[in-house]
Amino acid sequence: MADSRIRMIGFDADDTLWRSQDYFDQAQLDFERIVGGYVDLRDARLHERLYEIEKRNIGIFGYGVKGMVLSMIEAAVEITGERISAADLHRIVELGKDLLRHPVEMLPGIPEAVAQIAAEFEVVLITKGDLFHQEAKVRQCGLADLFQRIEIVSEKDTQTYARLLRVFDLPAQRFVMIGNSLRSDIAPVLALGGWGIHIPYHTTWAHENEAEIAADAPRLRRVDQAADLPQAVRELAKVAAA
């Protein structure tokens, strides 16, 4: 019989280990204030139009701050009918620089939870986004030494997880992924036969909510705080071993 015991735990990074979306949300508000000097925001559907452009550009720019800023510039030019000034375009670029410079702020209880889990299982970090930015955050977070591997990928889908599991030489049923995004952290791993622990964040980019998973999915657990993660992992490990 194949060994079904849990061996490895994967962690997402942004909004699982440290704050991220809060800063993107603030940049969005600042962007809307800039463009609001040219158009009536109530008529412009600015939030929706920016998301449409960002989503359309993911395949070109990828995820992260730089792709967001390029999409903001495109949206600003389009929505203002090319009337936006060079000075205001420069302000949009500065929004991106501020995001890239922002220090890493760990979420409450995360360092302790990761350390506890790492004492019992192999742990890996799997995150997506801009390579330079993600590498910088990993360096600053203070947890890098706990992870056996750190993988920064361009997309987190079933193909990516399947490739990583081959690299780890690990069947999906022995892998648990922890993250805040149902679309990127949970659904692909469940689809491969793995396990997931969803730890929701209070704000999530709309793109990451595009997944349908039954709340009672048998290989899924949900926790509301980092302190509950070690016990949730142990419970899944017990179920898997049985």
Side-chain angles (χ1 to χ4, degrees):
M1 181 180 291
D3 190 346
S4 61
R5 292 174 299 175
I6 299 299
R7 192 187 95 196
M8 181 180 287
I9 313 299
F11 281 88
D12 169 52
D14 291 340
D15 298 321
T16 298
L17 302 183
W18 52 66
R19 299 187 188 282
S20 177
Q21 189 60 41
D22 301 270
Y23 310 133
F24 281 83
D25 289 347
Q26 183 58 54
Q28 166 89 29
L29 293 175
D30 294 338
F31 168 73
E32 291 180 4
R33 279 193 283 270
I34 293 170
V35 177
Y38 297 85
V39 297
D40 186 336
L41 296 181
R42 292 169 299 179
D43 297 334
R45 288 192 313 111
L46 186 56
H47 192 84
E48 293 85 355
R49 290 173 74 177
L50 175 58
Y51 175 61
E52 290 167 2
I53 290 171
E54 283 184 297
K55 189 173 180 181
R56 187 173 71 219
N57 286 339
I58 286 173
I60 302 171
F61 301 143
Y63 295 94
V65 174
K66 295 170 189 175
M68 178 186 182
V69 170
L70 289 169
S71 292
M72 281 181 168
I73 291 171
E74 181 179 345
V77 171
E78 178 183 307
I79 289 166
T80 65
E82 302 181 0
R83 291 182 295 115
I84 190 165
S85 69
D88 281 333
L89 289 176
H90 186 259
R91 289 172 64 193
I92 293 172
V93 172
E94 288 299 317
L95 294 179
K97 289 183 178 180
D98 289 343
L99 283 172
L100 292 170
R101 297 188 193 108
H102 207 287
V104 170
E105 183 181 352
M106 302 301 294
L107 292 172
I110 280 294
E112 297 82 2
V114 175
Q116 286 184 48
I117 294 169
E120 301 178 41
F121 302 88
E122 295 179 40
V123 293
V124 296
L125 180 64
I126 304 174
T127 184
K128 69 181 180 184
D130 178 80
L131 178 62
F132 289 170
H133 193 204
Q134 292 299 103
E135 285 181 336
K137 288 190 282 189
V138 169
R139 285 195 301 271
Q140 294 174 44
C141 76
L143 300 179
D145 290 344
L146 294 175
F147 296 105
Q148 273 78 14
R149 295 182 67 102
I150 295 171
E151 301 286 345
I152 301 172
V153 298
S154 59
E155 183 60 275
K156 291 165 79 174
D157 52 19
T158 53
Q159 291 86 356
T160 298
Y161 283 106
R163 175 180 61 79
L164 291 175
L165 288 169
R166 287 194 297 271
V167 172
F168 302 155
D169 191 23
L170 186 71
Q173 63 266 27
R174 301 192 65 189
F175 178 72
V176 178
M177 185 66 189
I178 297 172
N180 71 295
S181 169
L182 290 173
R183 179 185 182 275
S184 294
D185 303 320
I186 306 300
V189 174
L190 295 184
L192 291 169
W195 306 77
I197 299 177
H198 184 218
I199 178 166
Y201 194 60
H202 70 92
T203 178
T204 303
W205 186 32
H207 186 66
E208 297 301 334
N209 285 323
E210 295 178 357
E212 293 185 9
I213 303 174
D216 59 351
R219 296 192 311 280
L220 172 65
R221 296 292 184 274
R222 170 178 164 150
V223 301
D224 294 319
Q225 57 184 358
D228 296 330
L229 285 172
Q231 184 57 33
V233 170
R234 294 184 195 110
E235 290 174 1
L236 284 184
K238 189 178 296 184
V239 173

